[in-house]
Amino acid sequence: MRTTISAVAAGLTVLAASLAAPAAAFASDSAATRTLHLRKGLTLRIPSSWKVDASRKDWLRVITGSCPTKGTDMYGFRDSGCHSFWIMGPKAIAIGHELFQKYTPDGPFYPATDVGPCPVKKNLVIRRTTLAEKGLRQIGPGHKAYYRDWAGTCGTMTSGRVRARYNQREWYLPTSKILVIDQWRTPGLATILKNATWN
């Protein structure tokens, strides 16, 4: 029994270390990272493998993995399957709620009037979102963001059955007019934001 408990504890230690490794690796290895300069002097160190799409100034997208919609008509905030997070500016924030009202942390960022596509699974739609977590989070020294984690479910248009789940994490800096939105629980992103700098 003692041997089994020791083995399980050792396994959990290895698992915790492996989960922390990616964030620690790109946080400390400057060769594997690059600098991303944003509005109001906000600067992030991101993995060099991530691609930055700055074609729309207030809808900057950081692609962190597979993005099958890139280069298609479906590519945009309401696409499905593109591993990425967004850094929104004033123009996006101004229309960030349903019916294109101004965004506030009281509800998830959702600039539309209809049922939205599921961000993590094609051919499904968003069925429901509920607030899973809220608070303040550090974004570099001297700046705290309103943090919200919205838990979402996806299904078909006709069935209430849950076929996929996702979380939409949001960090909002109202004075700087910056909103970070992550629908993929991007590994290391919370640490990157915490370790941001301001110039």
Side-chain angles (χ1 to χ4, degrees):
M1 181 73 168
R2 195 174 305 153
T3 305
T4 302
I5 292 171
S6 298
V8 169
L12 290 173
T13 302
V14 170
L15 176 62
S18 67
L19 290 173
F26 61 65
S28 60
D29 183 4
S30 60
T33 64
R34 63 184 173 129
T35 303
L36 176 58
H37 298 285
L38 302 164
R39 57 178 287 102
K40 299 294 184 179
L42 176 61
T43 302
L44 308 179
R45 295 289 305 176
I46 63 172
S48 55
S49 61
W50 291 0
K51 310 274 190 297
V52 178
D53 179 353
S55 58
R56 295 176 65 195
K57 181 181 174 185
D58 284 358
W59 297 77
L60 187 141
R61 190 175 205 175
V62 180
I63 300 170
T64 60
S66 172
C67 187
T69 57
K70 185 82 166 88
T72 73
D73 291 342
M74 299 302 295
Y75 180 72
F77 183 75
R78 289 160 45 88
D79 63 11
S80 294
C82 183
H83 291 248
S84 59
F85 64 92
W86 295 84
I87 303 168
M88 306 301 197
K91 289 181 182 175
I93 292 167
I95 59 165
H97 270 323
E98 203 164 3
L99 303 175
F100 303 104
Q101 300 297 309
K102 183 179 178 183
Y103 171 85
T104 71
D106 298 330
F109 184 88
Y110 183 71
T113 59
D114 57 355
V115 177
C118 180
V120 297
K121 191 149 186 182
K122 192 176 178 183
N123 299 325
L124 296 180
V125 296
I126 297 170
R127 299 293 296 180
R128 185 176 179 197
T129 55
T130 56
L131 183 60
E133 187 179 354
K134 69 183 248 182
L136 296 174
R137 296 290 185 274
Q138 199 73 35
I139 307 288
H143 293 76
K144 284 191 184 288
Y146 291 101
Y147 174 75
R148 301 291 185 266
D149 181 349
W150 299 97
T153 61
C154 301
T156 65
M157 286 291 286
T158 56
S159 168
R161 181 178 164 207
V162 174
R163 305 228 173 169
R165 296 179 186 275
Y166 71 98
N167 285 73
Q168 182 165 305
R169 302 187 298 169
E170 301 177 350
W171 293 260
Y172 179 46
L173 295 156
T175 302
S176 304
K177 293 185 170 55
I178 296 170
L179 172 62
V180 179
I181 303 169
D182 176 31
Q183 297 172 319
W184 290 93
R185 288 192 179 275
T186 302
L189 179 57
T191 301
I192 289 170
L193 293 172
K194 184 179 179 180
N195 294 335
T197 58
W198 295 84
N199 298 326

